[in-house]
Amino acid sequence: MKIPGLSKRNLILSTSLIVLVLLAILLKTTSKETFYALRSAKLSYLLLALLSWISYVTFDGLRFTLASLSIGEHKMDLITAIKVITIGIFLAAVSPFQVAGLPVQIVLLNRKKIGLGRATALLAARGFIGYSTILIAVLISLKYIWPPPSGIVRGIIIYATILVASIFLLYSIALFLPNLVKKIVKRERIVKEILSLRETTIAFVKNSNKKILLLAMLSSIATHLSICLIPFFLSYSFNSPIDFGRAFSFQSLIQGGLLWTPTPGGTGIAESVGLFIFKDYMNKEILGIFVVVWRFFTHHFAATVGAIFLLRELREI
């Protein structure tokens, strides 16, 4: 199966970029004090971070499964949902502008006998529910981190807020103002794709069981809270505790800011933002280790699981 945007060259470049970025962080921030700090790390909180990751992936899969059930689609079990999601995360991590995930996810859903229209509608609905959750989280976050501690953090906050709001606004325009889309967008192919997305989304909402769809939205909130618990527990593990309000705010802003990045999976950008955001709250000697472990739990772990799932899928073709 040929995967758009994924090649041996892109895979090598993306993996090399991840390794170089993580090595650069460790070389820049590691000192003798780092090793002493690691000796006093609390493994119990590291285990809680792992459990938070499991909760995050499970609720994300549940969100997708419930969205499927809301339109009477019973072929999407929880394991399939997690598989589709993590494969998408892996492909986004190894392809520029994160372009490779969606076509493969549609193929995977087709293999479960879910038609093209329903597969597209489900992925669009998952995206819309997810973007809505992140937008609300970013707005709530402002209460805990405003005014920001530095101009760089202020810029990150403004960028993340504008990006998430813009995606949400564009999605809303496509849904509610199709004639405006036709006036603004001149390329006919793009207009057709936008209108097709609108039709599938509207059909999804009209035909869905609203009670089950509400459960999907609640699962989306649980998904976001779970990933926000990861930096919270890691900060306690490395003896630089951050209160949950700040952990929630920082993770929400980073999630929002990484919705669209030119580098595969936001590599380099996410780590740099993490260093700037967490440096005023973490002990200096442990900052680099914290960012590396935080990035592993919030991104690389799921991408690795997705890579394993994808290899198994390719072998079965």
Side-chain angles (χ1 to χ4, degrees), residues 215-242:
L215 289 176
M217 293 176 181
L218 292 175
S219 295
S220 186
I221 294 171
T223 300
H224 191 73
L225 289 174
S226 296
I227 199 171
C228 291
L229 280 170
I230 292 174
F232 173 71
F233 285 131
L234 288 179
S235 71
Y236 276 83
S237 178
F238 294 122
N239 298 300
S240 298
I242 302 172

Side-chain angles (χ1 to χ4, degrees), residues 2-21:
K2 185 175 176 58
I3 300 174
L6 180 64
S7 63
K8 185 177 180 180
R9 177 176 174 273
N10 281 349
L11 188 59
I12 292 172
L13 287 175
S14 301
T15 305
S16 300
L17 180 60
I18 292 170
V19 172
L20 287 173
V21 167

